[in-house]
Amino acid sequence: MPSKEQLLDIIAIQAEIARLGLDLTATMALVVERTLGLIEADGAAIELADGDEMVYRAGAGIAASQLGLRLKAGESLSGLCVRSGEILHCRDSESDPRVDRDACRAVGLRSMIVVPLRHEGETVGVLKAMSRQPDKFRDVDVRALRLLSEVVGAVMYFAAKYNVDELFYKATHDAMTGLANRAFYIERLRNTLALHRRDKRPASVLMIDMDGLKHLNDSYGHRVGDAAIMEVARRLTACARESDTVARLGGDEFGMIFSPVDLPDGGEMLMHRIEDEIARPLQFEGHSYALSASVGMATLPADGLDVDHLLETADRRMYRVKRQHHGEKGAGGLSSCA
């Protein structure tokens, strides 16, 4: 049996999940975050099967940066867990032949527990707990994770049963704007890199941050701020083609992937078009509000072929533009025009 403290934690987690209903994205995020404290793990992830691959759909701790990561199901412990339907315990990834050792090193884990998310005989994914230390987890931790997985598996099963398409949509899209979420954005960027390696098509990665949203919320209320976020989402979508990706990464931060893009000038033209499109005033409930955004761009292959490096480069350039905007406009940011 799990320890008394672990049982109390699982009951509390179950109550939180019940309040979330069938909100799959929120449930997965909650579970991986709470798994860290439940068994003193350094990382946790939920992976869903997608064809012959396993995809990170939620992550916390050392797995937080791996959202969207795809692993070959036939070469990973997670894939074996789905096929066998059994809990798998890796005591040391450096000596366990069942694991994808390169992926383990990339995440920084040495030991892990992988638990199938099952309901009524169907495996719908895996819950994975990770540690930087070899042989970190004990049998009591395995039993605690089994209990937690039964709760999560039921939520995922019913979400999938009522609407498979909605299951995928909720796991990959922002609830407020309907844009791709951070996990899906990173997954699409990985796919873009894979396509580039095959056909050498250049692409642009953009990071977009609204200027002065806090001022707008504080001065005119969150209804106006939410309207501004929604309007920026619509304008970014209007700038994109069917082959492009538009995402809300959180708060007032957005991301875009343009693929393919004509170099050297195509990316710059797109960036200026986005800035001009967002700069049009927002009309909301009889009032006009000024909008603006800071945009940073990285291109592949010129700026590299690594997901993290491309995102960091675009983000750094975006903040450079934001500092310039503050210098030109002061800290006021968004304001009412009427």
Side-chain angles (χ1 to χ4, degrees):
M1 283 290 293
S3 69
K4 180 179 178 181
E5 291 77 13
Q6 287 176 326
L7 285 172
L8 290 173
D9 281 345
I10 291 170
I11 291 170
I13 295 169
Q14 185 173 5
E16 291 182 64
I17 290 173
R19 287 193 291 270
L20 294 173
L22 293 180
D23 188 334
L24 179 63
T25 302
T27 296
M28 292 193 299
L30 169 68
V31 168
V32 295
E33 191 64 41
R34 294 296 297 272
T35 296
L36 301 182
L38 180 67
I39 61 172
E40 297 182 353
D42 293 317
I46 287 178
E47 301 174 33
L48 300 182
D50 183 8
D52 61 352
E53 295 179 313
M54 299 296 297
V55 186
Y56 276 60
R57 293 300 187 190
I62 61 174
S65 64
Q66 302 301 318
L67 288 174
L69 177 66
R70 288 178 171 268
L71 302 174
K72 291 292 185 184
E75 301 172 7
S76 70
L77 203 62
S78 300
L80 178 59
C81 180
V82 169
R83 294 194 301 276
S84 67
E86 298 177 354
I87 296 175
L88 302 178
H89 187 177
C90 168
R91 299 185 182 278
D92 191 344
S93 61
E94 289 298 309
S95 59
D96 193 325
R98 302 172 299 173
V99 308
D100 183 334
R101 192 160 298 138
D102 290 338
C104 291
R105 289 171 177 170
V107 176
L109 70 88
R110 284 292 298 272
S111 59
M112 59 181 155
I113 306 169
V114 185
V115 184
L117 299 175
R118 298 172 58 84
H119 187 76
E120 296 186 356
E122 292 190 39
T123 301
V124 292
V126 301
L127 172 61
K128 179 189 291 183
M130 316 168 188
S131 175
R132 296 186 180 93
Q133 305 172 33
D135 202 18
K136 168 67 170 62
F137 302 112
R138 298 293 176 258
D139 289 344
V140 66
D141 299 321
V142 175
R143 290 193 289 270
L145 218 58
R146 177 192 286 118
L147 284 179
L148 180 58
S149 72
E150 290 174 359
V151 177
V152 184
V155 174
M156 298 179 71
Y157 173 84
F158 284 115
K161 180 178 179 180
Y162 288 121
N163 193 328
V164 174
D165 292 335
E166 184 179 354
L167 171 70
F168 177 78
Y169 187 86
K170 283 187 173 182
T172 57
H173 287 75
D174 172 60
M176 179 180 180
T177 62
L179 299 180
N181 61 17
R182 180 178 290 272
F184 197 34
Y185 179 72
I186 294 173
E187 180 180 341
R188 292 300 297 271
L189 181 53
R190 293 185 194 278
N191 291 343
T192 300
L193 289 168
L195 285 173
H196 173 79
R197 294 187 183 98
R198 187 180 68 192
D199 57 24
K200 306 304 179 185
R201 293 190 302 178
S204 291
V205 179
L206 275 63
M207 299 293 279
I208 302 125
D209 200 73
M210 295 173 63
D211 295 329
L213 181 63
K214 183 179 186 301
H215 170 78
L216 187 61
N217 283 327
D218 292 345
S219 300
Y220 306 106
H222 284 273
R223 288 185 67 252
V224 175
D226 288 350
I229 291 172
M230 293 293 293
E231 183 62 22
V232 168
R234 282 191 288 268
R235 294 180 186 183
L236 292 176
T237 301
C239 292
R241 304 161 302 181
E242 193 170 329
S243 62
D244 302 327
T245 300
V246 186
R248 184 185 180 209
L249 307 180
D252 57 359
E253 185 181 16
F254 297 84
M256 299 183 75
I257 302 169
F258 286 95
S259 177
V261 65
D262 294 327
L263 296 178
D265 300 326
E268 291 290 337
M269 292 174 62
L270 288 168
M271 191 165 62
H272 293 314
R273 179 186 171 195
I274 289 167
E275 290 173 339
D276 292 343
E277 186 71 19
I278 294 177
R280 293 186 291 106
L282 165 68
Q283 306 299 324
F284 182 68
E285 296 184 345
H287 294 275
S288 182
Y289 301 90
L291 292 180
S292 68
S294 301
V295 184
M297 182 181 68
T299 60
L300 60 97
D303 289 311
L305 295 173
D306 175 77
V307 169
D308 291 337
H309 180 71
L310 287 167
L311 293 175
E312 289 168 5
T313 300
D315 204 48
R316 185 173 63 251
R317 291 170 180 169
M318 180 270 291
Y319 277 107
R320 186 185 306 155
V321 172
K322 185 172 283 290
R323 286 192 295 271
Q324 293 172 353
H325 285 180
H326 277 292
E328 294 168 0
K329 302 176 184 178
L334 294 163
S335 61
S336 175
C337 301

